[in-house]
Amino acid sequence: MSTFGSVDNPGAQPSLPLTGERTIPGLAEENYWFRRHEVVYQRLAERCADRDVLEAGPGEGYGADLIAGVARRVIGVDYDESAVAHIRARYPRVQMHLGNLADLPLADASVDVVVNFQVIEHLWDQAQFVGECFRVLRPGGLLMMSTPNRITFSPGRDTPLNPFHTRELNAAELTELLTDGGFAMEAMLGVYHGAGLAAMDARHGGSIIDAQIARAVADAPWSDELLADVAAVSTDDFDLVEDGRDNRAIDDSLDLVAIAIRP
């Protein structure tokens, strides 16, 4: 998610249009969402070392390129022609293919890892996609999937807050989706605000997320304090914690991160 709306920084040159459907690097106003997504890539990239990796839905491509620094090979599949062209031009280490995630253009048992970060909530046929992940993975292969936690992202809503989302999930629903698709769960982790972001929350009425969304919905200018805080966020400001560890309840997480094995 991004704080959908115009960007009050005419000097910035986003690599792809900022529509709210995907986050992009290099914009101060988008930095919170970018870092919140980037932290999962950074902390799980080692699971891709020396392996053949598919990123299903790589968005702007920065994460696939990060993984390409450690993987044997990274393949990307996206349905958006502009995203495919952009990634081919900007991140040549990623072998991009235009395709439907519900019908992946890969052979059976052709990759060791499938990465799917902040994508499943956009898909209409989530079970079909999970089945495709199972098909293209080799036995013992790894599926790593992240998605906004429905409980905290769209609290009390049947319809997702983000207009680009079709169905959001909580931890139990995500687990059921993957196990029904034949996967064995290894871990369910959550993304949380660390101490620095907790301090920012306090400075902005209890939630720096709500402060950003309120600005976008009202199409109001950024305050200097809000912009400075958002621009200063780094991946170190987020905690990625397994369910139940450090007294963190998974239902309180901002994003869910599932790690599952294809038997």
Side-chain angles (χ1 to χ4, degrees):
M1 175 182 176
S2 72
T3 47
F4 9 94
S6 61
V7 176
D8 300 326
N9 184 0
Q13 296 296 321
S15 50
L16 283 173
L18 182 61
T19 64
E21 187 172 13
R22 59 180 163 242
T23 188
I24 61 174
L27 290 177
E29 293 89 341
E30 183 70 4
N31 186 58
Y32 169 86
W33 298 103
F34 170 63
R35 300 303 180 189
R36 179 165 149 180
H37 294 179
E38 184 188 31
V39 65
V40 180
Y41 286 101
Q42 283 188 351
R43 298 188 191 173
L44 296 182
E46 64 181 18
R47 303 294 301 268
C48 301
D50 301 319
R51 307 181 85 178
D52 295 325
V53 179
L54 164 67
E55 180 160 19
E60 192 274 340
Y62 65 87
D65 186 63
L66 186 155
I67 292 170
V70 300
R72 179 168 52 232
R73 177 175 61 137
V74 176
I75 302 164
V77 174
D78 203 288
Y79 76 98
D80 187 324
E81 291 184 8
S82 64
V84 171
H86 165 77
I87 294 170
R88 284 174 175 166
R90 184 163 182 170
Y91 304 113
R93 297 190 295 183
V94 181
Q95 301 172 21
M96 280 302 300
H97 299 272
L98 182 68
N100 189 335
L101 299 192
D103 186 17
L104 290 169
L106 277 75
D108 295 357
S110 56
V111 295
D112 302 304
V113 181
V114 174
V115 172
N116 181 246
F117 292 160
Q118 304 294 322
V119 173
I120 190 73
E121 66 277 4
H122 295 268
L123 303 183
W124 288 103
D125 195 337
Q126 296 175 343
Q128 172 68 20
F129 168 64
V130 170
E132 281 291 279
C133 293
F134 190 95
R135 179 184 67 80
V136 302
L137 278 167
R138 295 168 181 143
L142 193 66
L143 172 61
M144 299 194 293
M145 180 180 289
S146 76
T147 190
N149 178 9
R150 177 175 58 79
I151 295 172
T152 58
F153 198 78
S154 297
R157 294 175 59 96
D158 293 328
T159 302
L161 176 66
N162 188 316
F164 295 102
H165 292 182
T166 60
R167 180 196 176 207
E168 294 171 358
L169 304 161
N170 63 27
E173 292 162 343
L174 179 56
T175 297
E176 182 180 25
L177 178 68
L178 298 181
T179 55
D180 282 354
F183 285 91
M185 293 297 296
E186 177 183 302
M188 180 70 71
L189 302 91
V191 176
Y192 304 84
H193 282 180
L197 276 164
M200 289 185 193
D201 284 333
R203 285 199 295 275
H204 296 282
S207 172
I208 195 168
I209 300 170
D210 290 347
Q212 294 176 81
I213 292 173
R215 173 261 161 211
V217 170
D219 197 21
W222 290 74
S223 70
D224 291 342
E225 183 182 30
L226 178 60
L227 182 57
D229 275 350
V230 168
V233 173
S234 76
T235 55
D236 290 338
D237 291 314
F238 293 94
D239 296 334
L240 183 61
V241 181
E242 190 168 356
D243 183 18
R245 185 170 296 176
D246 298 335
N247 296 316
R248 300 290 188 107
I250 197 66
D251 286 346
D252 294 332
S253 67
L254 301 168
D255 296 318
L256 305 167
V257 183
I259 301 176
I261 306 293
R262 184 215 188 279

mmCIF file with all atom_site columns, all heavy atoms in Angstrom, residues 160-175:
data_model
loop_
_atom_site.group_PDB
_atom_site.id
_atom_site.type_symbol
_atom_site.label_atom_id
_atom_site.label_alt_id
_atom_site.label_comp_id
_atom_site.label_asym_id
_atom_site.label_entity_id
_atom_site.label_seq_id
_atom_site.pdbx_PDB_ins_code
_atom_site.Cartn_x
_atom_site.Cartn_y
_atom_site.Cartn_z
_atom_site.occupancy
_atom_site.B_iso_or_equiv
_atom_site.pdbx_formal_charge
_atom_site.auth_seq_id
_atom_site.auth_comp_id
_atom_site.auth_asym_id
_atom_site.auth_atom_id
_atom_site.pdbx_PDB_model_num
ATOM 1   N N   . PRO A 1 160 ? -11.816 -4.257  1.806  1.00 0.00 ? 160 PRO A N   1
ATOM 2   C CA  . PRO A 1 160 ? -10.492 -3.695  2.097  1.00 0.00 ? 160 PRO A CA  1
ATOM 3   C C   . PRO A 1 160 ? -10.454 -2.186  1.941  1.00 0.00 ? 160 PRO A C   1
ATOM 4   O O   . PRO A 1 160 ? -11.123 -1.605  1.071  1.00 0.00 ? 160 PRO A O   1
ATOM 5   C CB  . PRO A 1 160 ? -9.589  -4.377  1.059  1.00 0.00 ? 160 PRO A CB  1
ATOM 6   C CG  . PRO A 1 160 ? -10.282 -5.655  0.724  1.00 0.00 ? 160 PRO A CG  1
ATOM 7   C CD  . PRO A 1 160 ? -11.738 -5.327  0.783  1.00 0.00 ? 160 PRO A CD  1
ATOM 8   N N   . LEU A 1 161 ? -9.657  -1.549  2.781  1.00 0.00 ? 161 LEU A N   1
ATOM 9   C CA  . LEU A 1 161 ? -9.476  -0.101  2.705  1.00 0.00 ? 161 LEU A CA  1
ATOM 10  C C   . LEU A 1 161 ? -8.810  0.292   1.395  1.00 0.00 ? 161 LEU A C   1
ATOM 11  O O   . LEU A 1 161 ? -9.177  1.284   0.767  1.00 0.00 ? 161 LEU A O   1
ATOM 12  C CB  . LEU A 1 161 ? -8.623  0.370   3.893  1.00 0.00 ? 161 LEU A CB  1
ATOM 13  C CG  . LEU A 1 161 ? -8.247  1.851   3.945  1.00 0.00 ? 161 LEU A CG  1
ATOM 14  C CD1 . LEU A 1 161 ? -9.488  2.709   4.137  1.00 0.00 ? 161 LEU A CD1 1
ATOM 15  C CD2 . LEU A 1 161 ? -7.252  2.105   5.086  1.00 0.00 ? 161 LEU A CD2 1
ATOM 16  N N   . ASN A 1 162 ? -7.818  -0.484  0.973  1.00 0.00 ? 162 ASN A N   1
ATOM 17  C CA  . ASN A 1 162 ? -7.095  -0.194  -0.261 1.00 0.00 ? 162 ASN A CA  1
ATOM 18  C C   . ASN A 1 162 ? -7.937  -0.652  -1.451 1.00 0.00 ? 162 ASN A C   1
ATOM 19  O O   . ASN A 1 162 ? -8.297  -1.829  -1.553 1.00 0.00 ? 162 ASN A O   1
ATOM 20  C CB  . ASN A 1 162 ? -5.748  -0.925  -0.257 1.00 0.00 ? 162 ASN A CB  1
ATOM 21  C CG  . ASN A 1 162 ? -4.853  -0.517  -1.411 1.00 0.00 ? 162 ASN A CG  1
ATOM 22  O OD1 . ASN A 1 162 ? -5.282  -0.405  -2.541 1.00 0.00 ? 162 ASN A OD1 1
ATOM 23  N ND2 . ASN A 1 162 ? -3.580  -0.306  -1.116 1.00 0.00 ? 162 ASN A ND2 1
ATOM 24  N N   . PRO A 1 163 ? -8.248  0.242   -2.397 1.00 0.00 ? 163 PRO A N   1
ATOM 25  C CA  . PRO A 1 163 ? -9.120  -0.146  -3.505 1.00 0.00 ? 163 PRO A CA  1
ATOM 26  C C   . PRO A 1 163 ? -8.489  -1.149  -4.453 1.00 0.00 ? 163 PRO A C   1
ATOM 27  O O   . PRO A 1 163 ? -9.192  -1.746  -5.277 1.00 0.00 ? 163 PRO A O   1
ATOM 28  C CB  . PRO A 1 163 ? -9.389  1.186   -4.209 1.00 0.00 ? 163 PRO A CB  1
ATOM 29  C CG  . PRO A 1 163 ? -8.231  2.064   -3.851 1.00 0.00 ? 163 PRO A CG  1
ATOM 30  C CD  . PRO A 1 163 ? -7.860  1.672   -2.450 1.00 0.00 ? 163 PRO A CD  1
ATOM 31  N N   . PHE A 1 164 ? -7.173  -1.376  -4.360 1.00 0.00 ? 164 PHE A N   1
ATOM 32  C CA  . PHE A 1 164 ? -6.505  -2.344  -5.215 1.00 0.00 ? 164 PHE A CA  1
ATOM 33  C C   . PHE A 1 164 ? -6.523  -3.758  -4.630 1.00 0.00 ? 164 PHE A C   1
ATOM 34  O O   . PHE A 1 164 ? -6.069  -4.695  -5.277 1.00 0.00 ? 164 PHE A O   1
ATOM 35  C CB  . PHE A 1 164 ? -5.060  -1.916  -5.483 1.00 0.00 ? 164 PHE A CB  1
ATOM 36  C CG  . PHE A 1 164 ? -4.946  -0.638  -6.265 1.00 0.00 ? 164 PHE A CG  1
ATOM 37  C CD1 . PHE A 1 164 ? -4.645  0.549   -5.629 1.00 0.00 ? 164 PHE A CD1 1
ATOM 38  C CD2 . PHE A 1 164 ? -5.167  -0.621  -7.629 1.00 0.00 ? 164 PHE A CD2 1
ATOM 39  C CE1 . PHE A 1 164 ? -4.524  1.733   -6.345 1.00 0.00 ? 164 PHE A CE1 1
ATOM 40  C CE2 . PHE A 1 164 ? -5.060  0.556   -8.360 1.00 0.00 ? 164 PHE A CE2 1
ATOM 41  C CZ  . PHE A 1 164 ? -4.746  1.738   -7.709 1.00 0.00 ? 164 PHE A CZ  1
ATOM 42  N N   . HIS A 1 165 ? -7.018  -3.910  -3.398 1.00 0.00 ? 165 HIS A N   1
ATOM 43  C CA  . HIS A 1 165 ? -7.049  -5.221  -2.758 1.00 0.00 ? 165 HIS A CA  1
ATOM 44  C C   . HIS A 1 165 ? -8.390  -5.908  -3.020 1.00 0.00 ? 165 HIS A C   1
ATOM 45  O O   . HIS A 1 165 ? -9.438  -5.261  -2.983 1.00 0.00 ? 165 HIS A O   1
ATOM 46  C CB  . HIS A 1 165 ? -6.841  -5.090  -1.249 1.00 0.00 ? 165 HIS A CB  1
ATOM 47  C CG  . HIS A 1 165 ? -5.467  -4.636  -0.873 1.00 0.00 ? 165 HIS A CG  1
ATOM 48  N ND1 . HIS A 1 165 ? -5.065  -4.484  0.446  1.00 0.00 ? 165 HIS A ND1 1
ATOM 49  C CD2 . HIS A 1 165 ? -4.389  -4.294  -1.626 1.00 0.00 ? 165 HIS A CD2 1
ATOM 50  C CE1 . HIS A 1 165 ? -3.808  -4.066  0.465  1.00 0.00 ? 165 HIS A CE1 1
ATOM 51  N NE2 . HIS A 1 165 ? -3.388  -3.949  -0.781 1.00 0.00 ? 165 HIS A NE2 1
ATOM 52  N N   . THR A 1 166 ? -8.349  -7.209  -3.263 1.00 0.00 ? 166 THR A N   1
ATOM 53  C CA  . THR A 1 166 ? -9.577  -7.974  -3.470 1.00 0.00 ? 166 THR A CA  1
ATOM 54  C C   . THR A 1 166 ? -9.997  -8.727  -2.208 1.00 0.00 ? 166 THR A C   1
ATOM 55  O O   . THR A 1 166 ? -11.169 -8.726  -1.850 1.00 0.00 ? 166 THR A O   1
ATOM 56  C CB  . THR A 1 166 ? -9.394  -8.981  -4.611 1.00 0.00 ? 166 THR A CB  1
ATOM 57  O OG1 . THR A 1 166 ? -8.339  -9.889  -4.295 1.00 0.00 ? 166 THR A OG1 1
ATOM 58  C CG2 . THR A 1 166 ? -9.053  -8.259  -5.903 1.00 0.00 ? 166 THR A CG2 1
ATOM 59  N N   . ARG A 1 167 ? -9.043  -9.354  -1.545 1.00 0.00 ? 167 ARG A N   1
ATOM 60  C CA  . ARG A 1 167 ? -9.333  -10.078 -0.300 1.00 0.00 ? 167 ARG A CA  1
ATOM 61  C C   . ARG A 1 167 ? -8.108  -10.034 0.587  1.00 0.00 ? 167 ARG A C   1
ATOM 62  O O   . ARG A 1 167 ? -7.030  -10.485 0.193  1.00 0.00 ? 167 ARG A O   1
ATOM 63  C CB  . ARG A 1 167 ? -9.704  -11.534 -0.582 1.00 0.00 ? 167 ARG A CB  1
ATOM 64  C CG  . ARG A 1 167 ? -10.006 -12.336 0.690  1.00 0.00 ? 167 ARG A CG  1
ATOM 65  C CD  . ARG A 1 167 ? -9.992  -13.835 0.443  1.00 0.00 ? 167 ARG A CD  1
ATOM 66  N NE  . ARG A 1 167 ? -10.194 -14.584 1.678  1.00 0.00 ? 167 ARG A NE  1
ATOM 67  C CZ  . ARG A 1 167 ? -9.733  -15.823 1.899  1.00 0.00 ? 167 ARG A CZ  1
ATOM 68  N NH1 . ARG A 1 167 ? -9.064  -16.455 0.942  1.00 0.00 ? 167 ARG A NH1 1
ATOM 69  N NH2 . ARG A 1 167 ? -9.929  -16.434 3.053  1.00 0.00 ? 167 ARG A NH2 1
ATOM 70  N N   . GLU A 1 168 ? -8.266  -9.478  1.772  1.00 0.00 ? 168 GLU A N   1
ATOM 71  C CA  . GLU A 1 168 ? -7.192  -9.468  2.763  1.00 0.00 ? 168 GLU A CA  1
ATOM 72  C C   . GLU A 1 168 ? -7.384  -10.628 3.728  1.00 0.00 ? 168 GLU A C   1
ATOM 73  O O   . GLU A 1 168 ? -8.499  -11.149 3.890  1.00 0.00 ? 168 GLU A O   1
ATOM 74  C CB  . GLU A 1 168 ? -7.176  -8.130  3.501  1.00 0.00 ? 168 GLU A CB  1
ATOM 75  C CG  . GLU A 1 168 ? -6.819  -6.968  2.588  1.00 0.00 ? 168 GLU A CG  1
ATOM 76  C CD  . GLU A 1 168 ? -6.993  -5.599  3.230  1.00 0.00 ? 168 GLU A CD  1
ATOM 77  O OE1 . GLU A 1 168 ? -7.447  -5.530  4.402  1.00 0.00 ? 168 GLU A OE1 1
ATOM 78  O OE2 . GLU A 1 168 ? -6.686  -4.603  2.555  1.00 0.00 ? 168 GLU A OE2 1
ATOM 79  N N   . LEU A 1 169 ? -6.301  -11.033 4.390  1.00 0.00 ? 169 LEU A N   1
ATOM 80  C CA  . LEU A 1 169 ? -6.292  -12.240 5.207  1.00 0.00 ? 169 LEU A CA  1
ATOM 81  C C   . LEU A 1 169 ? -5.762  -11.956 6.598  1.00 0.00 ? 169 LEU A C   1
ATOM 82  O O   . LEU A 1 169 ? -4.919  -11.074 6.782  1.00 0.00 ? 169 LEU A O   1
ATOM 83  C CB  . LEU A 1 169 ? -5.392  -13.298 4.549  1.00 0.00 ? 169 LEU A CB  1
ATOM 84  C CG  . LEU A 1 169 ? -5.745  -13.683 3.109  1.00 0.00 ? 169 LEU A CG  1
ATOM 85  C CD1 . LEU A 1 169 ? -4.557  -14.347 2.438  1.00 0.00 ? 169 LEU A CD1 1
ATOM 86  C CD2 . LEU A 1 169 ? -6.959  -14.605 3.090  1.00 0.00 ? 169 LEU A CD2 1
ATOM 87  N N   . ASN A 1 170 ? -6.241  -12.722 7.574  1.00 0.00 ? 170 ASN A N   1
ATOM 88  C CA  . ASN A 1 170 ? -5.564  -12.753 8.872  1.00 0.00 ? 170 ASN A CA  1
ATOM 89  C C   . ASN A 1 170 ? -4.666  -13.988 8.911  1.00 0.00 ? 170 ASN A C   1
ATOM 90  O O   . ASN A 1 170 ? -4.595  -14.745 7.940  1.00 0.00 ? 170 ASN A O   1
ATOM 91  C CB  . ASN A 1 170 ? -6.578  -12.726 10.026 1.00 0.00 ? 170 ASN A CB  1
ATOM 92  C CG  . ASN A 1 170 ? -7.500  -13.939 10.048 1.00 0.00 ? 170 ASN A CG  1
ATOM 93  O OD1 . ASN A 1 170 ? -7.153  -15.023 9.576  1.00 0.00 ? 170 ASN A OD1 1
ATOM 94  N ND2 . ASN A 1 170 ? -8.697  -13.770 10.600 1.00 0.00 ? 170 ASN A ND2 1
ATOM 95  N N   . ALA A 1 171 ? -3.980  -14.181 10.019 1.00 0.00 ? 171 ALA A N   1
ATOM 96  C CA  . ALA A 1 171 ? -2.991  -15.262 10.079 1.00 0.00 ? 171 ALA A CA  1
ATOM 97  C C   . ALA A 1 171 ? -3.623  -16.632 9.916  1.00 0.00 ? 171 ALA A C   1
ATOM 98  O O   . ALA A 1 171 ? -3.088  -17.504 9.224  1.00 0.00 ? 171 ALA A O   1
ATOM 99  C CB  . ALA A 1 171 ? -2.217  -15.181 11.393 1.00 0.00 ? 171 ALA A CB  1
ATOM 100 N N   . ALA A 1 172 ? -4.784  -16.837 10.539 1.00 0.00 ? 172 ALA A N   1
ATOM 101 C CA  . ALA A 1 172 ? -5.450  -18.140 10.438 1.00 0.00 ? 172 ALA A CA  1
ATOM 102 C C   . ALA A 1 172 ? -5.901  -18.402 9.004  1.00 0.00 ? 172 ALA A C   1
ATOM 103 O O   . ALA A 1 172 ? -5.785  -19.524 8.491  1.00 0.00 ? 172 ALA A O   1
ATOM 104 C CB  . ALA A 1 172 ? -6.634  -18.196 11.395 1.00 0.00 ? 172 ALA A CB  1
ATOM 105 N N   . GLU A 1 173 ? -6.418  -17.368 8.337  1.00 0.00 ? 173 GLU A N   1
ATOM 106 C CA  . GLU A 1 173 ? -6.883  -17.528 6.955  1.00 0.00 ? 173 GLU A CA  1
ATOM 107 C C   . GLU A 1 173 ? -5.726  -17.785 6.001  1.00 0.00 ? 173 GLU A C   1
ATOM 108 O O   . GLU A 1 173 ? -5.848  -18.583 5.068  1.00 0.00 ? 173 GLU A O   1
ATOM 109 C CB  . GLU A 1 173 ? -7.667  -16.286 6.545  1.00 0.00 ? 173 GLU A CB  1
ATOM 110 C CG  . GLU A 1 173 ? -8.991  -16.137 7.288  1.00 0.00 ? 173 GLU A CG  1
ATOM 111 C CD  . GLU A 1 173 ? -9.564  -14.731 7.215  1.00 0.00 ? 173 GLU A CD  1
ATOM 112 O OE1 . GLU A 1 173 ? -8.823  -13.779 6.870  1.00 0.00 ? 173 GLU A OE1 1
ATOM 113 O OE2 . GLU A 1 173 ? -10.765 -14.584 7.539  1.00 0.00 ? 173 GLU A OE2 1
ATOM 114 N N   . LEU A 1 174 ? -4.605  -17.107 6.221  1.00 0.00 ? 174 LEU A N   1
ATOM 115 C CA  . LEU A 1 174 ? -3.433  -17.332 5.371  1.00 0.00 ? 174 LEU A CA  1
ATOM 116 C C   . LEU A 1 174 ? -2.891  -18.748 5.572  1.00 0.00 ? 174 LEU A C   1
ATOM 117 O O   . LEU A 1 174 ? -2.539  -19.434 4.605  1.00 0.00 ? 174 LEU A O   1
ATOM 118 C CB  . LEU A 1 174 ? -2.360  -16.291 5.679  1.00 0.00 ? 174 LEU A CB  1
ATOM 119 C CG  . LEU A 1 174 ? -1.057  -16.393 4.887  1.00 0.00 ? 174 LEU A CG  1
ATOM 120 C CD1 . LEU A 1 174 ? -1.306  -16.364 3.383  1.00 0.00 ? 174 LEU A CD1 1
ATOM 121 C CD2 . LEU A 1 174 ? -0.093  -15.277 5.295  1.00 0.00 ? 174 LEU A CD2 1
ATOM 122 N N   . THR A 1 175 ? -2.841  -19.186 6.802  1.00 0.00 ? 175 THR A N   1
ATOM 123 C CA  . THR A 1 175 ? -2.397  -20.558 7.092  1.00 0.00 ? 175 THR A CA  1
ATOM 124 C C   . THR A 1 175 ? -3.298  -21.575 6.402  1.00 0.00 ? 175 THR A C   1
ATOM 125 O O   . THR A 1 175 ? -2.828  -22.532 5.769  1.00 0.00 ? 175 THR A O   1
ATOM 126 C CB  . THR A 1 175 ? -2.386  -20.801 8.605  1.00 0.00 ? 175 THR A CB  1
ATOM 127 O OG1 . THR A 1 175 ? -1.440  -19.914 9.222  1.00 0.00 ? 175 THR A OG1 1
ATOM 128 C CG2 . THR A 1 175 ? -2.006  -22.238 8.933  1.00 0.00 ? 175 THR A CG2 1
#
